[in-house]
């Protein structure tokens, strides 16, 4: 195994080993990609305050997310098409998360199904759902998640329509993918990836095909996808989803304090401050800039997590110090998955954990639950005072 010291090491291997179509799907944002870039670069504007001559022994990064014990305040975010980054990718990622002791969230647009992941893991995982118009499908999706003993449902509310991602259009990346001569030729150069794909039967959207009414092949999937996303979504509709699911509920995709307050009112247990990794509204605030005004608005009414832009344990530490209960990683673990499968996801978690643990200690804390804004130096006007 190559020496991996940071997430960028995994990213470089990922780029070499995975077809361009799927690497670009991971590493892209919408339109000019301003928000995609600032999700990460805005973390660099926040400085850590180093302390010395403070006892650093017997440290702990253990905490809870929505009442569940976790090894560190991190969850693996839902990522569509994970099973195309590495064969059976969702299963590999879920197994790595389970062994490490952090939550894994399965995407509705996954290659492996809920049942596939449940059959290959022993602990509950979280299930992400989109706000679709098909009530029959939604009710059965929640029922399947319950049967699989999923410990939380995550409703993504920022995908009523799809942000334009130039790379995906140029690569023919859609649901299902439209393979071109160029993309197939590129796949032929990724020998390890191809051999692994030949050994699995899971190549399609396992949570949809055979479960959504009338979806039996690529053409019918395209039609269903185009028609199912609900552009008329409102908070009353989200209340209907709350009634379909009686377990812990997380609402993902909140970037404005007003929407955070609405999420409190529909009975959610937690919200995720997220701009969909910069893949929806380009020019929106980075998640880390949006976090503090949301914390000010909701106070202790609801648990707040942060997603989008996390590439290191220091990013996790900064998010927690700004008030988030935990941080979600997407691209950071996908790099590992594409690079080295399950072992790569584990390595990504190890890297982030070590960075979090050491940085926390150097800031004068032994317990992640005691970390607060005092460890940060944040530029004036970082989170607001817009004209």
């Amino acid at each position: 195994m190559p020496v991996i010291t940071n997430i960028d090491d995994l990213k470089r291997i990922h780029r070499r080993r995975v077809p361009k179509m799927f690497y670009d799907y991971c590493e892209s944002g919408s339109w000019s990609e301003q928000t995609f870039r600032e999700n990460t670069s805005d973390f660099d504007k926040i400085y850590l305050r180093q302390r010395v001559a403070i006892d650093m022994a017997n440290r702990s990064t253990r905490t809870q997310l929505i009442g569940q014990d976790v090894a560190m305040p991190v969850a693996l975010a839902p990522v569509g098409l994970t099973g195309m980054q590495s064969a059976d990718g969702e299963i590999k990622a879920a197994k790595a998360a389970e062994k490490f002791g952090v939550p894994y969230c399965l995407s509705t647009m996954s290659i492996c199904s809920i049942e596939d992941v449940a059959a290959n893991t022993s602990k509950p995982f979280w299930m992400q759902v989109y706000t679709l118009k098909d009530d029959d499908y939604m009710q059965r999706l929640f029922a399947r998640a319950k049967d699989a003993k999923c410990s939380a449902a995550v409703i993504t509310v920022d995908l009523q329509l799809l942000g334009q991602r130039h790379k995906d259009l140029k690569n023919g990346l859609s649901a299902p993918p439209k393979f071109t001569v160029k993309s197939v030729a590129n796949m032929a150069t990724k020998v390890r990836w191809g051999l692994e794909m030949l050994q699995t039967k899971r190549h399609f959207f396992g949570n949809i095909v055979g479960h959504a009414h009338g979806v039996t092949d690529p053409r019918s999937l395209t039609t269903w996808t185009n028609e199912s996303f609900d552009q008329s979504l409102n908070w009353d509709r989200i209340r209907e989803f709350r009634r379909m699911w009686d377990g812990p509920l997380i609402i993902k995709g909140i970037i404005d304090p007003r929407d955070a307050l609405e999420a409190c009112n529909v009975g959610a247990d937690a919200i995720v401050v997220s701009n969909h990794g910069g893949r929806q509204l380009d020019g929106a605030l980075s998640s880390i800039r949006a976090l503090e005004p949301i914390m000010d608005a909701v106070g202790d009414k609801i648990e707040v997590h942060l997603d989008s832009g996390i590439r290191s344990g220091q990013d996790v530490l900064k998010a927690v110090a700004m008030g988030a209960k935990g941080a979600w990683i997407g691209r950071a673990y996908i790099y590992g998955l594409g690079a080295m499968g399950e072992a790569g996801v584990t390595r990504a978690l190890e890297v982030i954990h070590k960075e979090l643990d050491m940085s926390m200690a150097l800031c004068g804390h032994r317990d992640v639950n005691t970390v607060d804004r005092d460890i940060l130096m944040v530029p004036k006007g970082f989170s607001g005072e817009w004209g």
Side-chain angles (χ1 to χ4, degrees):
M1 180 180 288
V3 177
I4 304 297
T5 61
N6 56 49
I7 296 299
D8 275 346
D9 288 342
L10 292 169
K11 180 180 176 180
R12 283 188 287 270
I13 301 171
H14 174 217
R15 187 170 191 172
R16 290 200 307 268
R17 293 185 175 177
V18 172
K20 185 177 186 298
M21 170 184 283
F22 301 117
Y23 174 81
D24 282 353
Y25 173 74
C26 170
E27 193 63 9
S28 65
S30 62
W31 304 104
S32 72
E33 299 190 337
Q34 175 190 343
T35 302
F36 166 70
R37 293 189 301 272
E38 291 180 356
N39 274 336
T40 53
S41 65
D42 279 349
F43 274 101
D44 297 335
K45 297 177 174 66
I46 302 171
Y47 288 83
L48 296 169
R49 192 186 306 274
Q50 184 171 351
R51 300 296 305 278
V52 298
I54 294 176
D55 185 357
M56 297 179 181
N58 303 314
R59 297 186 303 278
S60 174
T61 60
R62 302 195 66 83
T63 187
Q64 289 191 330
L65 296 179
I66 58 167
Q68 300 177 19
D69 292 335
V70 294
M72 62 176 170
V74 167
L76 268 59
V79 180
L81 292 168
T82 297
M84 299 308 291
Q85 302 289 346
S86 179
D88 298 335
E90 290 88 1
I91 293 172
K92 293 173 181 175
K95 289 171 71 173
E98 178 180 299
K99 292 173 186 175
F100 202 91
V102 296
Y104 171 74
C105 186
L106 179 68
S107 170
T108 295
M109 301 298 287
S110 60
I111 301 301
C112 301
S113 68
I114 302 170
E115 293 78 12
D116 289 332
V117 175
N120 286 276
T121 54
S122 58
K123 294 181 181 178
F125 55 94
W126 297 348
M127 181 66 210
Q128 177 268 344
V129 298
Y130 290 110
T131 53
L132 306 177
K133 292 185 286 188
D134 188 337
D135 259 12
D136 177 66
Y137 174 78
M138 292 295 293
Q139 289 171 349
R140 286 188 290 108
L141 185 65
F142 281 123
R144 290 168 59 206
K146 189 172 184 178
D147 289 344
K149 297 182 171 53
C150 290
S151 55
V154 178
I155 300 180
T156 294
V157 294
D158 60 355
L159 203 81
Q160 290 169 257
L161 49 82
L162 196 66
Q164 181 165 309
R165 304 148 195 176
H166 300 332
K167 293 174 187 173
D168 288 351
L169 291 174
K170 291 173 180 175
N171 288 328
L173 204 291
S174 58
K178 298 173 183 176
F179 298 112
T180 64
V181 173
K182 188 175 181 180
S183 64
V184 171
N186 178 258
M187 287 180 193
T189 68
K190 312 298 180 181
V191 177
R192 177 185 297 191
W193 178 88
L195 290 174
E196 289 182 352
M197 285 296 175
L198 289 173
Q199 295 174 41
T200 181
K201 61 183 179 180
R202 303 179 182 95
H203 300 115
F204 220 41
F205 292 91
N207 283 325
I208 299 172
V209 178
H211 296 285
H213 181 69
V215 180
T216 56
D217 55 31
R219 181 174 297 179
S220 57
L221 173 62
T222 300
T223 301
W224 181 86
T225 302
N226 290 338
E227 294 176 352
S228 289
F229 284 88
D230 189 1
Q231 295 187 24
S232 64
L233 175 72
N234 57 31
W235 289 103
D236 287 337
R237 178 62 170 156
I238 295 171
R239 287 184 178 88
E240 292 178 13
F241 295 140
R242 168 77 275 191
R243 288 190 285 271
M244 293 180 190
W245 176 261
D246 59 3
L249 181 71
I250 302 170
I251 294 181
K252 178 176 178 287
I254 302 297
I255 210 74
D256 187 281
R258 292 167 294 184
D259 292 328
L261 290 171
E262 291 284 3
C264 292
N265 295 333
V266 300
D269 297 282
I271 60 172
V272 186
V273 177
S274 171
N275 52 41
H276 216 94
R279 293 167 65 79
Q280 285 297 94
L281 177 61
D282 191 36
L285 283 182
S286 66
S287 291
I288 191 62
R289 281 191 190 268
L291 177 60
E292 194 167 36
I294 288 174
M295 295 301 308
D296 290 342
V298 302
D300 59 0
K301 294 178 183 176
I302 196 168
E303 188 168 301
V304 178
H305 304 172
L306 182 133
D307 165 81
S308 303
I310 302 289
R311 300 291 189 276
S312 71
Q314 288 200 338
D315 293 342
V316 175
L317 183 65
K318 291 173 184 179
V320 170
M322 292 278 278
K325 181 68 173 174
W328 294 32
I329 59 171
R331 292 178 174 94
Y333 87 81
I334 292 295
Y335 299 150
L337 178 67
M340 294 182 288
E342 182 182 338
V345 179
T346 298
R347 190 70 191 111
L349 289 168
E350 289 172 344
V351 165
I352 286 174
H353 181 263
K354 184 175 183 179
E355 292 170 341
L356 169 63
D357 176 60
M358 293 183 67
S359 300
M360 177 182 73
L362 291 168
C363 288
H365 287 261
R366 292 189 296 173
D367 185 341
V368 75
N369 296 291
T370 69
V371 168
D372 58 21
R373 206 175 188 280
D374 183 62
I375 72 166
L376 302 180
M377 290 179 283
V378 183
K380 290 182 179 179
F382 180 77
S383 296
E385 298 184 13
W386 305 100

